[in-house]
Amino acid sequence: MTGNYNQLLPLLIACFLAYVVTEVFRDRPIYEALLRRDLQRTKNEHQLDEPVVREFTVAPGAPFAGKTIRELGLPPGCIIVRCRDGNREWVATAYTRLEPHMHLTVLVAPTAVQGISILEKGCSAAEISVSEMT
């Protein structure tokens, strides 16, 4: 980036500090936040050309908190492949009970795109308005 090695150490330190700050605040990545804001503005349904992997976090007080995966009503092709909490991670089963602050990794096929909306609503504690996001 700089054309010489004199700035390599400060550049590495800046990258490391940026990583630490994002991990400490556990904030949504910028592109995901911008996508969510754009989708809320346009109210368009999600459209997929190929399968995607999405991350969700079950908020305290969310409709899905305390339910098993089997009870969520997800469409075929929307598969929760991994669950993790602060200390461990595991492969989800139909009987895995979702708890607040649990992180879910979901594989969504193009035919199951409505599963993204179901998961967004079920994992959120309350609707977020566009004014709160800006």
Side-chain angles (χ1 to χ4, degrees):
M1 289 182 79
T2 63
N4 63 36
Y5 292 106
N6 294 337
Q7 298 298 319
L8 186 61
L9 184 60
L11 186 62
L12 287 173
I13 291 171
C15 290
F16 177 74
L17 289 175
Y19 173 77
V20 169
V21 167
T22 59
E23 286 297 311
V24 167
F25 288 111
R26 296 208 179 268
D27 202 11
R28 175 175 282 116
I30 185 69
Y31 292 114
E32 187 176 327
L34 291 172
L35 173 64
R36 175 177 266 196
R37 185 181 70 186
D38 288 345
L39 289 173
Q40 287 181 344
R41 281 184 184 164
T42 60
K43 299 293 183 189
N44 287 342
E45 282 295 314
H46 302 279
Q47 295 178 349
L48 301 177
D49 296 328
E50 59 185 33
V52 296
V53 175
R54 292 281 309 265
E55 297 278 333
F56 297 93
T57 301
V58 180
F64 284 175
K67 291 189 176 183
T68 62
I69 292 176
R70 172 177 247 161
E71 299 171 317
L72 304 183
L74 297 175
C78 185
I79 304 165
I80 299 176
V81 294
R82 179 180 75 156
C83 296
R84 65 184 166 89
D85 56 19
N87 303 322
R88 61 191 179 103
E89 64 181 64
W90 63 95
V91 175
T93 68
Y95 301 103
T96 300
R97 186 166 304 281
L98 303 182
E99 300 296 335
H101 306 292
M102 186 180 286
H103 301 280
L104 310 174
T105 303
V106 182
L107 177 63
V108 183
T111 57
V113 71
Q114 68 272 22
I116 294 174
S117 298
I118 293 170
L119 284 161
E120 284 176 344
K121 291 175 186 170
C123 290
S124 300
E127 286 292 317
I128 300 173
S129 68
V130 174
S131 62
E132 290 178 43
M133 295 182 67
T134 57

